[in-house]
Amino acid sequence: MQEIIDYFESIDPVLAAFYATLFTWGLTAAGAALVFFFKGMNRALLDGMLGFTGGVMVAASFWSLLAPGIEMSPGEGFVKVIPAAVGFLMGSLFIFGLDKVLPHLHINFKESEKEGIKTPWHRTTLLTLAITLHNIPEGLAVGVLFGGVAAGFEGASIGGAVALALGIGLQNFPEGFAVAMPLRRQGLSRYKSFMYGQASAIVEPIAAVLGAWAVMTFQPMLPYALSFAAGAMIFVVVEEVIPETQQDKYTDIATMGFIGGFIIMMTLDVGLG
């Protein structure tokens, strides 16, 4: 692991963010590839994996984003927390706006419950867009953290950025399977189900590069950017991930998955960061 951290320290931070999110994208593709080997997915397993995703995102929001953002903010007391509060609010409002505009359908929901503007798009496209919405703040978070390291901000470290990418990658693996298998059940071929599943994470490298570039170009915005990514991720968890796990009888499994994801991400961040 130290060799990986040393490598990321030796290359351009925008390139590092790109490589890190290629890794998270690759794990999404690996998860989606399971559709070639399995005919179906157990609902309890699906809810547990979604819960795990939520736990990773919540832990990453605090340990990797909010806490460093507050630490590097100037001032004391209430003044010190203002950038985090403002950024957190703006990030949640950003995803709120996308949620209202972008047509999408959550994994465990009926077609009549699709969200966003009305569109004739097929269920397969809507399911993919729902997971894509999850991945925008994840890629942004990785890029912003790498950009913060390059800018020399105290509290931002390569180890922390690598830990965040690793944690997001771990939850992307089941997420890829979670989107590919429902598409297979809709009647798509295994190949098309895989392609839709892996495509849901293509926004991560794009968001990461933009996030790293923006922070390096406008360095004072880093505390706001970190909190922006945190607010976006928390909105996704509360508005989308958790409700998806509450549609059946496996809520306890989803809750334990959430706890497991939280513990793993917290451990990675503290251990590597």
Side-chain angles (χ1 to χ4, degrees):
M1 181 59 71
Q2 186 59 47
E3 290 80 4
I4 295 175
I5 294 175
D6 291 341
Y7 172 73
F8 277 111
E9 286 179 338
S10 68
I11 62 176
D12 180 82
V14 174
L15 190 60
F18 180 69
Y19 286 162
T21 45
L22 280 183
F23 165 76
T24 63
W25 181 17
L27 283 183
T28 303
L34 294 178
V35 76
F36 291 110
F37 306 101
F38 296 92
K39 295 182 178 179
M41 173 185 281
N42 182 277
R43 179 58 186 268
L45 177 62
L46 173 61
D47 286 346
M49 290 192 305
L50 289 173
F52 179 86
T53 293
V56 168
M57 293 175 74
V58 169
S61 295
F62 176 75
W63 296 100
S64 299
L65 301 171
L66 275 176
I70 293 172
E71 182 180 345
M72 64 183 63
S73 297
E76 298 292 338
F78 288 111
V79 174
K80 191 174 183 64
V81 80
I82 287 176
V86 171
F88 193 88
L89 176 62
M90 296 305 295
S92 61
L93 290 177
F94 173 71
I95 299 298
F96 173 79
L98 286 182
D99 187 68
K100 296 303 178 185
V101 174
L102 184 69
H104 61 284
L105 177 65
H106 303 308
I107 294 171
N108 290 331
F109 284 64
K110 300 175 182 177
E111 191 159 1
S112 59
E113 297 177 290
K114 60 186 178 183
E115 300 178 10
I117 61 174
K118 293 182 179 180
T119 175
W121 293 349
H122 293 297
R123 180 183 177 90
T124 53
T125 303
L126 296 174
L127 284 168
T128 305
L129 287 174
I131 300 298
T132 301
L133 191 62
H134 292 195
N135 290 328
I136 293 173
E138 295 171 6
L140 181 64
V142 173
V144 164
L145 205 50
F146 273 108
V149 174
F153 279 89
E154 184 179 354
S157 68
I158 287 291
V162 170
L164 178 60
L166 183 58
I168 289 175
L170 287 176
Q171 61 94 21
N172 273 7
F173 181 81
E175 199 172 72
F177 188 41
V179 67
M181 189 53 68
L183 296 179
R184 175 63 176 159
R185 289 203 304 266
Q186 293 296 314
L188 266 70
S189 68
R190 295 181 189 276
Y191 176 74
K192 285 187 176 180
S193 298
F194 163 74
M195 291 303 294
Y196 274 103
Q198 63 83 28
S200 65
I202 198 172
V203 296
E204 290 192 359
I206 298 171
V209 167
L210 290 175
W213 172 83
V215 167
M216 292 176 63
T217 305
F218 308 102
Q219 293 187 15
M221 71 178 288
L222 180 59
Y224 295 92
L226 288 169
S227 303
F228 181 97
M233 287 210 286
I234 292 296
F235 184 93
V236 166
V237 171
V238 176
E239 203 276 336
E240 300 184 9
V241 177
I242 291 178
E244 288 174 22
T245 68
Q246 306 299 304
Q247 301 296 307
D248 213 313
K249 58 184 178 181
Y250 302 110
T251 56
D252 288 343
I253 294 176
T255 301
M256 295 308 299
F258 182 98
I259 292 172
F262 188 98
I263 291 172
I264 288 174
M265 185 64 235
M266 177 179 64
T267 303
L268 284 172
D269 191 88
V270 175
L272 296 177

